Amino acid sequence: MVPNPDELVADTLRKYAEFVNPGLVKLYRFGGVETVEWEAQGVVVRDVYGREYLDFSGGPAVFALGHRHPRVVQAVVEQIHRMPMSVRAMPRRPEAELAALLAELTPGDLRYCFFCNSGAEAVEGALKLARAATGRKAFVATEGAFHGKTFGALSATGREKYRKPFEPLLPGFRHVPFGDADAMAEVVDRDVAAVIVEPIQGEGGVRVPPDDYLPMVREICDRAGALLIVDEVQTGLGRTGRMFACEHWGVMPDILTLAKALGGGVMPIGAFVARPHLWAAFSDDPYLHSSTFGGNPAACAAGVATLRVLVEEDLPSRAARMGEVLMAGLREVAARHPRWVRDVRGKGLLVGVEFSDPDVALLASAEAIARGVIFFFSLNRPEVVRLAPPLIVERHHVERACAVLDEALQAVAQTLEAAG
Ligand code: PLP
């Protein structure tokens, strides 16, 4: 397949070390990853040696439709052959179609859409819109939250490690413990433009809040006249067993952010969607907030195809069903390794396996990848491996992933017990 894979791997790692980031090369080597990804289809990724891996990390959460879903690829290829980028002086058909579809699928009266290129950008836009719409300055976010790493999004992100080196961040952010509505009520006052919250914290280690949490946050916002930004960059588009995770609790956001899976694993695209009355400032001056590549035709064509596949194949329901199978399998594995696995939790196909410490999570992931299954730790809680496989995953994939985790943990136990 690849004529000289050893050379290609050595050269790629050398170029990473010299021109991308030597720290990343160390991390790959520590995780036993001395290869290069090469091609992918469905749930399977192949490296340059032709070795196959089941993708149980999914980008993370990018490959809801699996890799290279034929309908998304076809839509993008057609668009690329016609006009991949926009002159931006005329309206674009794919952007209009994607916005209309999103308005139809998103809860409540969410309607106006702004398209960008990543999750962090979607969060930036949502925060700006909240200030413009309310005239207020402050924001409330949650500890352990992950909203991205640009300055505004980072100001909302709740992990010191990522924040500290870049301070001062945007002023006016207050952080409260996730899942604690009383703590939220104490800080949401009439200075607060918006509360920003993930319905389930993804990078925070797949933390599912108590059932009354999101409805109470909605109420707290309403009482103070603050907006509710629900960040569904990771949880959105079927991942948790509903099209949007906030639907589990019947909560309507004022602004919803999306990215990751929206491009069907083929194109990068982000979006924020808002209730119509909030859009006045953006409507009065459509260039108040803008992005050269935002809403580009190729990415929007991917988005349209993705949403159609999600709906027509009812992938949210499939995620709910397969999520049960996956969690049951993982709990059996956990029961065999009580010393190393503390918890298995999640909703739909967003599942966290909490290990006894971050090193065990890293070692288990390294052992798993060596056996052909990709797991990845969560950024804000590295002792938790977050599983977000394609929603098209089948029972035999799930069984294989659980068996590999079991073997990986046996290997970890041997290594750690030998080291004392
Ligand atoms: N918001 C949430 C909930 C996320 O999980 C992420 C990324 O993991 C982001 C925002 C940032 O997205 P991006 O990495 O595309 O900037």
Side-chain angles (χ1 to χ4, degrees), residues 55-361:
D55 184 1
F56 266 69
S57 164
V62 169
F63 299 102
L65 309 189
H67 292 263
R68 292 200 303 127
H69 191 285
R71 281 178 63 188
V72 183
V73 170
Q74 189 191 355
V76 171
V77 166
E78 273 174 18
Q79 188 62 48
I80 283 176
H81 283 305
R82 200 163 63 246
M83 187 166 184
M85 283 287 170
S86 169
V87 291
R88 306 196 69 80
M90 295 177 215
R92 300 163 285 277
R93 178 66 188 165
E95 183 174 31
E97 267 194 292
L98 181 57
L101 264 175
L102 269 182
E104 191 187 313
L105 290 175
T106 46
D109 61 350
L110 288 170
R111 172 134 64 94
Y112 287 116
C113 304
F114 181 94
F115 295 106
C116 49
N117 313 286
S118 69
E121 261 185 86
V123 169
E124 294 291 335
L127 296 172
K128 284 177 70 182
L129 178 65
R131 277 198 176 162
T134 60
R136 299 178 180 185
K137 303 268 182 288
F139 291 100
V140 175
T142 59
E143 290 165 11
F146 191 88
H147 298 292
K149 289 178 178 161
T150 51
F151 267 109
L154 184 61
S155 307
T157 288
R159 191 176 185 205
E160 273 311 289
K161 178 179 148 104
Y162 295 135
R163 297 163 54 90
K164 202 81 193 148
F166 307 104
E167 288 176 344
L169 300 177
L170 213 59
F173 275 82
R174 306 163 186 174
H175 282 83
V176 291
F178 179 70
D180 182 345
D182 292 338
M184 176 77 75
E186 273 189 29
V187 298
V188 179
D189 56 27
R190 299 208 152 261
D191 296 330
V192 172
V195 168
I196 178 163
V197 69
E198 297 157 271
I200 296 167
Q201 283 192 343
E203 300 301 330
V206 189
R207 293 182 64 202
V208 184
D211 278 336
D212 59 355
Y213 179 63
L214 212 58
M216 283 171 80
V217 171
R218 175 73 272 184
E219 237 179 86
I220 292 163
C221 288
D222 290 342
R223 272 205 302 273
L227 303 180
L228 175 59
I229 301 172
V230 176
D231 183 350
E232 296 241 21
V233 164
Q234 185 153 157
T235 53
L237 303 173
R239 169 68 40 205
T240 69
R242 301 293 292 261
M243 189 58 89
F244 301 98
C246 59
E247 293 172 316
H248 287 292
W249 299 284
V251 167
M252 317 279 181
D254 296 300
I255 307 174
L256 179 89
T257 54
L258 292 171
K260 292 194 184 280
L262 186 56
V266 175
M267 295 296 291
I269 179 169
F272 58 96
V273 190
R275 300 175 68 192
H277 67 284
L278 303 175
W279 213 252
F282 282 20
S283 178
D284 290 347
D285 178 356
Y287 291 102
L288 191 62
H289 186 69
S290 62
S291 155
T292 301
F293 293 136
N296 74 75
C300 288
V304 170
T306 300
L307 293 182
R308 290 200 174 128
V309 172
L310 280 168
V311 171
E312 286 167 28
E313 296 183 10
D314 194 12
L315 292 182
S317 303
R318 192 185 163 79
R321 283 196 310 277
M322 292 312 292
E324 295 291 325
V325 178
L326 177 59
M327 267 193 285
L330 291 170
R331 287 197 173 116
E332 277 177 28
V333 176
R336 283 197 287 278
H337 302 277
R339 184 164 171 206
W340 311 113
V341 184
R342 282 213 192 114
D343 193 20
V344 173
R345 55 179 176 261
K347 231 177 179 32
L349 282 171
L350 184 60
V351 176
V353 180
E354 183 168 332
F355 292 91
S356 50
D357 68 66
D359 287 345
V360 174

Side-chain angles (χ1 to χ4, degrees), residues 15-38:
K15 285 180 170 140
Y16 258 69
E18 273 184 47
F19 306 115
V20 181
N21 188 336
L24 210 46
V25 175
K26 257 197 226 154
L27 212 60
Y28 284 135
R29 289 213 157 106
F30 184 74
V33 181
E34 298 244 6
T35 186
V36 168
E37 65 181 19
W38 198 248

